[in-house]
């Protein structure tokens, strides 16, 4: 192998390795295409990646000028030999492309092609694209050795395309996960604050004509809840922790939450529990959010007269219990859509924190949501 050939193969290898870092897949495919044309001594080279509409999502060419490319016109469709290479995994090597039964035509400005070598780009049984060369510069046309080398370069192109697909899939999964996180956060925090705000505003409206002092007090609560909802929404957007947790810790944050809910809702809401050790950021937030969801469900669905929040340390576990004396519900039934989302959210949060969540409910008799989270990180 000559020094020039070694340099070309080194360029191809470096490009394929770089696809996982900073090079786009188009740059990698262009490098492979240029190297293939030079290594095999062809006048023209092209590489196509099909789309689902009979055309090409990517179509690269080497060996023609920009002016020639513009004069040729639109990117070709999946017809003739181009279509064959996308459906048949076997290479095509010809002394004259025009003699092949699948040859159709080319535009007026298209260069005249003679000897031809085309190889599908495959991943297992899937054909991802095609690479082909035309007009061998040395007499005799393309050889079996040329076909083998182009097949090797096509395998490099397949690696680049598969990596690009994996990166795109990972990116899409990250977007979906972030959307789910935001949906959970909005449901767990902001929705509950707005629910409390609405009830308090309704109470203020009912009192304004007969007890202006109590109406003012209720409006003060509306202002406070609106500010807290804004803080929670800001925390969701930037991925911050709930404001109370950041400095107070779980026991104080849950106590504040119980005091607020007791003031603005009909059921008695009481917090029982002493100080517990600080947990990791993720675990503290999971406990806090699960308590919010459990309280929200109890306030909205249980018709309870009393709701209790208990936080304790038992062995190496922090244990949270949210209990109500309401009407209970059937755990096996589908139930209300919001409650289904809330139950799913609680279980996902418990798993993410390495904890265990149990929900028991009896009708009548009420509901108990119990969460156990280990200490440590």
């Amino acid at each position: 192998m000559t020094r020039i050939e070694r340099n070309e193969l080194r360029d191809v290898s470096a490009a394929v390795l770089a696809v996982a870092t900073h090079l786009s897949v188009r740059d990698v495919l262009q490098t492979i295409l240029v190297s293939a044309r030079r290594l095999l001594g062809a006048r023209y080279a092209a590489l196509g990646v099909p789309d689902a509409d009979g055309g090409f999502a990517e179509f690269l060419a080497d060996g023609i000028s920009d002016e020639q490319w513009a004069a040729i016109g639109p990117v070709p469709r999946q017809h003739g030999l181009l279509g064959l290479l996308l459906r048949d995994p076997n290479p095509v090597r010809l002394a004259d492309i025009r003699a092949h039964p699948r040859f159709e035509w080319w535009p007026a400005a298209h260069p005249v092609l003679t000897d031809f070598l085309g190889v599908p780009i495959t991943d297992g049984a899937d054909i991802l694209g095609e690479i082909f060369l035309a007009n061998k510069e040395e007499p005799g046309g393309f050889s079996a050795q040329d076909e083998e080398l182009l097949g090797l370069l096509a395998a490099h192109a397949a690696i680049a395309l598969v990596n690009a697909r994996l990166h795109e899939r990972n990116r899409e999964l990250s977007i979906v996960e972030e959307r789910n996180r935001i949906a959970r956060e909005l449901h767990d925090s902001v929705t509950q604050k707005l629910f409390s705000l609405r009830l308090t505003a309704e109470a203020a409206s009912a009192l304004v004509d007969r007890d202006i002092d109590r109406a003012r007090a209720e409006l003060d609560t509306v202002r406070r809840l609106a500010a807290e909802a804004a803080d929670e929404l800001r925390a969701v957007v930037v991925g911050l922790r709930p404001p109370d947790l950041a400095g107070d810790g779980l026991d104080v944050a849950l106590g504040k939450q119980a005091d607020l809910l007791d003031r603005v809702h009909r059921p008695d809401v009481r917090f029982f529990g002493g100080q517990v050790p600080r947990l990791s950021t993720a675990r503290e937030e999971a406990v806090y959010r699960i308590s919010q969801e459990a309280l929200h469900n109890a306030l909205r669905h249980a018709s309870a007269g009393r709701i209790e929040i208990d936080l304790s340390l038992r062995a190496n576990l922090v244990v949270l219990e949210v209990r109500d004396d309401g009407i209970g519900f059937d755990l096996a039934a589908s139930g209300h859509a919001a409650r289904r989302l809330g139950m799913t959210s609680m279980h996902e949060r418990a798993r993410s924190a390495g904890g265990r969540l149990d929900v028991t409910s009896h009708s009548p008799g009420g509901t108990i949501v119990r969460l156990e989270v280990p200490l440590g990180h």
Side-chain angles (χ1 to χ4, degrees):
M1 182 180 291
T2 68
R3 178 180 60 82
I4 294 176
E5 289 172 333
R6 286 197 297 272
N7 288 340
E8 292 291 348
L9 287 175
R10 189 179 298 114
D11 288 345
V12 170
S13 179
V16 173
L17 291 174
V19 74
T21 54
H22 64 282
L23 281 185
S24 70
V25 67
R26 184 182 179 89
D27 292 334
V28 175
L29 295 177
Q30 187 70 50
T31 299
I32 292 172
L33 182 64
V34 171
S35 297
R37 186 180 69 80
R38 291 174 180 171
L39 282 169
L40 278 73
R43 179 70 181 86
Y44 304 110
L47 188 152
V49 179
D51 60 22
D53 301 317
F56 288 90
E58 291 278 7
F59 195 88
L60 310 175
D62 188 52
I64 62 173
S65 66
D66 292 340
E67 292 77 14
Q68 287 176 299
W69 182 254
I72 290 171
V75 170
R77 305 288 293 173
Q78 299 173 25
H79 59 75
L81 272 177
L82 295 185
L84 176 65
L85 288 168
L86 294 175
R87 291 184 288 273
D88 189 334
N90 298 304
V92 175
R93 179 158 50 98
L94 303 167
D96 190 331
I97 186 176
R98 293 167 294 186
H100 194 279
R102 294 294 297 274
F103 172 75
E104 294 181 354
W105 59 279
W106 50 56
H110 196 284
V112 175
L113 307 183
T114 53
D115 31 11
F116 175 91
L117 176 60
V119 174
I121 299 170
T122 61
D123 175 38
D126 296 331
I127 297 179
L128 309 179
E130 59 191 350
I131 182 171
F132 61 87
L133 308 175
N135 296 22
K136 180 82 169 178
E137 292 179 338
E138 295 181 357
F142 295 103
S143 65
Q145 184 178 0
D146 292 333
E147 182 179 316
E148 182 179 0
L149 180 54
L150 189 59
L152 175 63
L153 294 172
H156 279 72
I159 293 171
L161 289 170
V162 170
N163 282 342
R165 287 184 176 183
L166 290 174
H167 284 301
E168 179 63 20
R169 192 170 302 159
N170 287 338
R171 186 185 72 84
E172 291 173 357
L173 287 174
S174 297
I175 291 172
V176 169
E177 288 172 358
E178 183 63 9
R179 286 175 178 169
N180 289 340
R181 181 191 72 81
I182 292 173
R184 287 197 307 268
E185 297 292 341
L186 288 173
H187 181 267
D188 289 349
S189 57
V190 180
T191 300
Q192 296 170 32
K193 284 290 193 305
L194 293 178
F195 177 65
S196 298
L197 192 154
R198 188 189 72 185
L199 292 181
T200 308
E202 290 173 353
S205 177
L207 290 167
V208 71
D209 292 329
R210 52 190 174 86
D211 192 336
I212 192 65
D213 290 334
R214 286 185 60 192
R216 288 195 185 100
E218 294 291 345
L219 288 174
D220 285 339
T221 303
V222 167
R223 282 192 292 271
R224 183 169 61 254
L225 286 171
E228 290 177 1
D231 289 341
E232 291 281 3
L233 183 58
R234 191 177 302 112
V236 168
V237 172
V238 301
L240 297 177
R241 305 179 71 195
D244 288 337
L245 271 184
D248 296 334
L250 269 174
D251 49 334
V252 177
L254 291 176
K256 287 183 177 181
Q257 181 174 236
D259 289 342
L260 173 63
L261 295 176
D262 185 61
R263 289 197 302 271
V264 300
H265 292 287
R266 183 187 62 79
D268 293 330
V269 182
R270 296 288 183 264
F271 174 73
F272 303 92
Q275 186 175 7
V276 297
R278 295 302 298 255
L279 304 175
S280 68
T281 299
R283 283 179 176 165
E284 282 194 343
E285 185 169 349
V287 176
Y288 186 84
R289 295 304 193 195
I290 288 171
S291 74
Q292 282 188 313
E293 179 61 40
L295 287 165
H296 176 72
N297 285 340
L299 289 167
R300 190 161 191 177
H301 303 294
S303 299
R306 184 178 178 86
I307 302 171
E308 297 178 347
I309 310 165
D310 188 285
L311 185 71
S312 61
L313 179 65
R314 302 180 188 180
N316 292 319
L317 298 173
V318 170
V319 180
L320 168 75
E321 281 194 2
V322 178
R323 303 181 290 266
D324 70 71
D325 61 358
I327 59 175
F329 66 100
D330 185 355
L331 291 168
S334 57
H336 191 277
R339 174 173 281 184
R340 290 201 305 272
L341 175 59
M343 294 291 290
T344 300
S345 173
M346 287 193 292
H347 281 286
E348 287 178 354
R349 287 189 180 281
R351 283 194 296 269
S352 70
R356 175 181 174 180
L357 182 76
D358 291 309
V359 180
T360 57
S361 189
H362 302 281
S363 181
T367 301
I368 299 175
V369 176
R370 178 184 174 91
L371 172 68
E372 297 179 351
V373 176
L375 294 174
H377 302 278

